[in-house]
Amino acid sequence: MRIAVPNKGRLHEPTIDLLERAGLHLENGADRKLYADTVDPDVTVLFARAADIPEYVSDGAADLGITGFDQVQEARVDNVSELLDLEFGRCRLVLAAPEDGDIDSVEDLAGKTVATEFPNITEDFFADTGVEPDIVEVSGATELTPHVEMADAIVDITSTGTTLKMNRLAVVDEVLSSSVRLFGRDDVLDEPKIGEVRTALSSVKQAEGKRYLMMNVPRDRLEDVRDVIPGLGGPTIMDIADEDDGESTVAVHAVVDERNVFETITEVKSAGASDILVTEIERLVE
């Protein structure tokens, strides 16, 4: 099975890091290669331009792809399906126009010119609004086109809005919200290995922002401690093997949100817990 991933740019390193944390360690690294084997002999990673990955998957060169949702939408491939939102590489495609111009709404662009690196997404956006501008495809420096009279507005990617502000452009409307997704070709989605990879990646995402709490609790204080632990499905409770009577103290384990750890430790300690240990979680399979 082949997974196509970005070969460079802002999505490359986070994608490789995710694969590594999911247990799909790349052998011999990922630098200056077209492909890499993984510790799983049935899984190979292909490196491609982020914009080309949807076509790789659609045409059968790869079975799974990891790239931005915007790239999948722009490619207009009809035989791939999204399997998982990987929740990084977030950005927006926005419609923007000069701050001091006369474009204040989508309707103002009827008969005007819009420059973009995403002509298909832009065409779909305007088709939904019923407005018909002239869409011009450019290959870079999109934000400059209104200032050199190539376009009246642009559709471009923004993460923080800084580049738009630097070029005196104001957002008129949001065209698309994007993040990195795992997607696969429809004819292979039922194969076991596809499910294994999806579960591995999902388990890493599920573990993010979670911590594992372990503590000892007197049995007669157990209900008090249970009441203050915001665990996933409630805490796990186990007898401590070396207790003299096997009854006085139990071990309590729970998964909690990282943002709740400070408060939870304070509360369980007040409720009678001791020997409290907090650890990170690498993967969490639900």
Side-chain angles (χ1 to χ4, degrees), residues 45-58:
V45 173
L46 305 182
F47 300 101
R49 292 176 60 246
D52 293 338
I53 290 174
E55 291 289 351
Y56 270 54
V57 177
S58 178

Side-chain angles (χ1 to χ4, degrees), residues 23-101:
L24 288 171
H25 305 291
L26 274 60
E27 298 186 337
N28 302 319
D31 296 333
R32 298 193 181 101
K33 292 184 178 182
L34 298 177
Y35 69 91
D37 294 327
T38 71
V39 293
D40 186 329
D42 296 324
V43 178
T44 300
V45 173
L46 305 182
F47 300 101
R49 292 176 60 246
D52 293 338
I53 290 174
E55 291 289 351
Y56 270 54
V57 177
S58 178
D59 293 343
D63 304 296
L64 294 174
I66 297 176
T67 194
F69 178 65
D70 55 315
Q71 302 292 354
V72 180
Q73 292 297 100
E74 180 62 23
R76 283 182 172 171
V77 288
D78 59 6
N79 63 335
V80 303
S81 297
E82 180 181 324
L83 299 178
L84 188 64
D85 185 349
L86 299 175
E87 301 176 355
F88 66 90
R90 294 188 183 279
C91 63
R92 297 184 299 151
L93 263 69
V94 297
L95 174 65
E99 293 176 344
D100 56 358

Side-chain angles (χ1 to χ4, degrees), residues 197-276:
V197 171
R198 183 187 182 281
T199 297
L201 297 178
S202 176
S203 70
V204 174
K205 303 308 297 183
Q206 292 289 345
E208 289 180 350
K210 300 290 194 303
R211 292 294 182 266
Y212 194 65
L213 265 62
M214 295 172 279
M215 66 199 78
N216 292 336
V217 179
R219 190 175 294 275
D220 60 2
R221 304 298 300 274
L222 182 58
E223 289 305 315
D224 294 334
V225 169
R226 192 201 300 266
D227 288 343
V228 299
I229 295 180
L232 296 178
T236 299
I237 300 165
M238 297 166 285
D239 289 330
I240 296 177
D242 60 356
E243 280 288 308
D244 293 337
D245 57 12
E247 295 293 332
S248 61
T249 305
V250 293
V252 175
H253 294 191
V255 176
V256 301
D257 287 338
E258 182 180 15
R259 63 179 181 272
N260 295 331
V261 167
F262 179 83
E263 181 180 359
T264 300
I265 289 177
T266 300
E267 291 180 345
V268 297
K269 186 173 178 59
S270 296
S274 62
D275 304 322
I276 303 167

